[in-house]
Amino acid sequence: MKWSLLGVRICGLLFLTAGAVVSAQEIPGVPQDSIMPGLRERAVVLNIVARIVEQGDEEIWNSNNSKVTILGRPVSLKLIGENVVVYVQFTPYQRENGRSLLVAQGQIWINVPNEGVRYQTTLQSIPLEFGEQIYFFPLGKVGSVDEARIEIQLKLLPYTAEGVLPE
């Protein structure tokens, strides 16, 4: 019995690894010819790595996604936990001077024991360059290393015919 359970875990791990390789080669859900030629110059790729980190910087969960969007159009991310829901929209813009700006809008619902549900919003404008890696903390700055935190790592890249600009 132990052997068969071990075999299932190994096969599952291999299946997940193969899936990650395939999704890294193309942007899921966006056929390469789906962006109209007139919009390709305004298309960008937003790489999003969301993770939950607990005490001692131990990562307990992560998600890695690439989303194609058009400048001025938001990309949404929803994280749902036992007592927290985080909904964030990231909207890339290009200023007149050619520099990029990312507007982050967040809504957070936290169920606090014996107090009920707390709701908070956040709005931040973040100047950035293509290829620059930035971090967004929807729950704010963590006061101590013993507290869990949600980190969202973002990188904005220009869209290319292959979907992702090589780094």
Side-chain angles (χ1 to χ4, degrees):
M1 185 77 167
K2 277 186 173 178
W3 181 254
S4 64
L5 286 176
L6 181 59
V8 169
R9 287 185 185 145
I10 291 171
C11 288
L13 181 60
L14 292 174
F15 179 75
L16 290 174
T17 304
V21 171
V22 170
S23 67
Q25 293 175 353
E26 64 185 46
I27 298 173
V30 180
Q32 304 225 343
D33 297 329
S34 69
I35 297 180
M36 296 184 332
L39 296 177
R40 283 193 188 133
E41 325 52 82
R42 296 185 53 213
V44 293
V45 178
L46 188 59
N47 290 336
I48 303 171
V49 178
R51 62 188 212 137
I52 299 175
V53 180
E54 280 196 338
Q55 297 90 345
D57 283 338
E58 179 185 343
E59 183 179 289
I60 61 168
W61 177 85
N62 73 31
S63 172
N64 193 349
N65 295 292
S66 291
K67 304 274 186 173
V68 174
T69 190
I70 305 298
L71 292 171
R73 191 163 198 184
V75 171
S76 299
L77 176 67
K78 186 187 290 187
L79 304 172
I80 301 174
E82 282 185 32
N83 65 339
V84 65
V85 174
V86 176
Y87 179 74
V88 186
Q89 285 188 320
F90 299 104
T91 309
Y93 293 97
Q94 189 167 25
R95 295 180 178 176
E96 290 178 13
N97 63 7
R99 297 198 57 181
S100 297
L101 178 73
L102 190 65
V103 175
Q105 298 173 294
Q107 298 180 61
I108 298 102
W109 293 266
I110 301 173
N111 187 11
V112 180
N114 300 324
E115 292 183 27
V117 176
R118 287 189 186 168
Y119 173 75
Q120 67 186 54
T121 61
T122 182
L123 176 65
Q124 294 181 352
S125 296
I126 308 162
L128 77 157
E129 299 288 333
F130 280 120
E132 180 182 1
Q133 193 168 293
I134 61 169
Y135 288 88
F136 178 72
F137 299 92
L139 300 178
K141 187 176 178 181
V142 176
S144 81
V145 294
D146 292 335
E147 294 179 43
R149 66 183 181 273
I150 297 175
E151 295 179 355
I152 302 174
Q153 175 188 340
L154 303 154
K155 187 185 289 187
L156 186 65
L157 301 168
Y159 178 83
T160 66
E162 292 78 35
V164 180
L165 181 73
E167 293 188 37

